[in-house]
Amino acid sequence: MPCPPLPADAFGDRFALDTLPLARGAAGYAVQMLDTDKLLDRLTGTFLPVRSEQLDGLFDSFDDAYAGASAWVEMHCPPPEDHRLAIVPASFDHLLNRHVLIYGVLCGQP
């Protein structure tokens, strides 16, 4: 039986990259697993560390990131509310050849 659709804010409030007051510019949207430095890889649908050379973790839009996160939740999280994922702004450092978590590792608990 298919899971009911997730709410619009299931992975945090919708945001536009160009309106965020960021200390470092963002190159795209990423799906971060809370309490880790792992991002959802767009090609494999798995979570990889930001230092992984195979990681392709930048989505072009919030909607694309939301769709990727939703697909992962549907496959891995019964119940879906326990997903521990957030859509975050992220960048890519071409000198270090790795993704950058602009907000750092987000915690699931305050």
Side-chain angles (χ1 to χ4, degrees):
M1 177 165 55
C3 296
L6 293 166
D9 64 352
F11 310 110
D13 292 333
R14 177 178 289 277
F15 60 90
L17 292 176
D18 58 352
T19 64
L20 295 177
L22 301 173
R24 180 178 189 148
Y29 299 83
V31 179
Q32 182 179 3
M33 183 176 286
L34 298 176
D35 298 310
T36 74
D37 71 343
K38 294 181 179 180
L39 298 178
L40 183 64
D41 181 67
R42 295 180 328 131
L43 303 175
T44 65
T46 60
F47 280 88
L48 299 172
V50 294
R51 290 176 179 85
S52 172
E53 292 181 13
Q54 294 80 24
L55 177 62
D56 182 0
L58 297 179
F59 292 86
D60 293 329
S61 70
F62 189 95
D63 290 335
D64 290 345
Y66 185 94
S70 295
W72 189 89
V73 167
E74 189 170 323
M75 290 182 61
H76 296 94
C77 292
E81 301 81 34
D82 294 344
H83 60 72
R84 301 186 55 233
L85 305 180
I87 297 175
V88 298
S91 190
F92 190 84
D93 186 316
H94 292 282
L95 183 63
L96 297 174
N97 198 35
R98 60 170 273 204
H99 290 73
V100 176
L101 296 171
I102 294 173
Y103 291 149
V105 173
L106 297 180
C107 298
Q109 297 291 322

